[in-house]
Amino acid sequence: MPDDDLQRAQSLIRSIADYPEPGVLFRDITPLLADATALRATIDAMLAPFAGTFDVVAGIEARGFLLAGAAAIAAGVGLIPIRKAGKLPRPAASVDYALEYGTATIEAHDDIRPGMRVLLIDDVLATGGTLQAAHTLVAELGGTVVGTTVLMELEALGGRALIGDVHALFCV
């Protein structure tokens, strides 16, 4: 994929100050999602290091779903949603993780079978708690995480130190 397509894709990500609360700089990816060329370049670049190594992609709620759905179709594999607690009708496993102020829980169905090779996809790597919990969740279901790919990494928050190797398309 041409570098100019990726540069254009990155330029479509908008920064929204003080959303959802004062002091937070929210990264709005919807303009990138609305542009077919930028979205394709992004998905191709997120998948490239892992070609042929995974059986399924697992997308983390909520914006990770959008990227994982496109990635699953592009790679010709299935999609496993990793959801916030209480959103699945038959959760098979759940993992609690720490937030800045409290805890949260993610869940998945047992569609991840023992030995299944899973590529984790999310939109942002920040502090790493959600992705670390997703790694644990996949392992509890018997799957193997073969890679983790994110659209962007917020480097100053140090999430990579918590979860290890991550393929981040854009670092901010």
Side-chain angles (χ1 to χ4, degrees):
M1 93 223 56
D3 284 339
D4 56 334
D5 285 345
L6 283 179
Q7 289 173 357
R8 189 166 163 284
Q10 186 174 18
S11 76
L12 292 171
I13 299 170
R14 304 284 186 246
S15 295
I16 311 295
D18 298 322
Y19 182 83
E21 59 186 56
V24 173
L25 183 61
F26 181 78
R27 308 300 173 147
D28 179 12
I29 66 170
T30 55
L32 184 156
L33 296 172
D35 184 290
T37 301
L39 179 59
R40 183 61 193 219
T42 298
I43 295 302
D44 288 349
M46 290 177 76
L47 292 175
F50 308 103
T53 67
F54 57 95
D55 305 311
V56 66
V57 297
I60 301 171
E61 187 166 351
R63 297 188 311 172
F65 289 169
L66 302 170
L67 298 168
I73 291 168
V77 301
L79 168 65
I80 304 289
I82 296 178
R83 304 279 327 253
K84 295 174 183 172
K87 302 291 185 181
L88 292 173
R90 53 178 182 85
S94 63
V95 173
D96 296 328
Y97 62 100
L99 297 170
E100 189 174 355
Y101 300 104
T103 61
T105 304
I106 56 172
E107 300 175 332
H109 288 162
D110 59 1
D111 299 311
I112 296 174
R113 295 177 307 281
M116 187 174 274
R117 300 172 303 160
V118 178
L119 176 63
L120 283 176
I121 297 180
D122 206 359
D123 62 327
V124 175
L125 169 59
T127 62
T130 305
L131 280 167
Q132 182 183 44
H135 276 254
T136 301
L137 187 65
V138 169
E140 284 186 11
L141 291 167
T144 301
V145 175
V146 297
T148 303
T149 185
V150 297
L151 179 63
M152 70 188 103
E153 177 180 0
L154 306 179
E155 292 178 301
L157 297 180
R160 187 178 293 262
L162 187 62
I163 63 166
D165 191 31
V166 175
H167 175 61
L169 200 54
F170 307 124
C171 295
V172 294

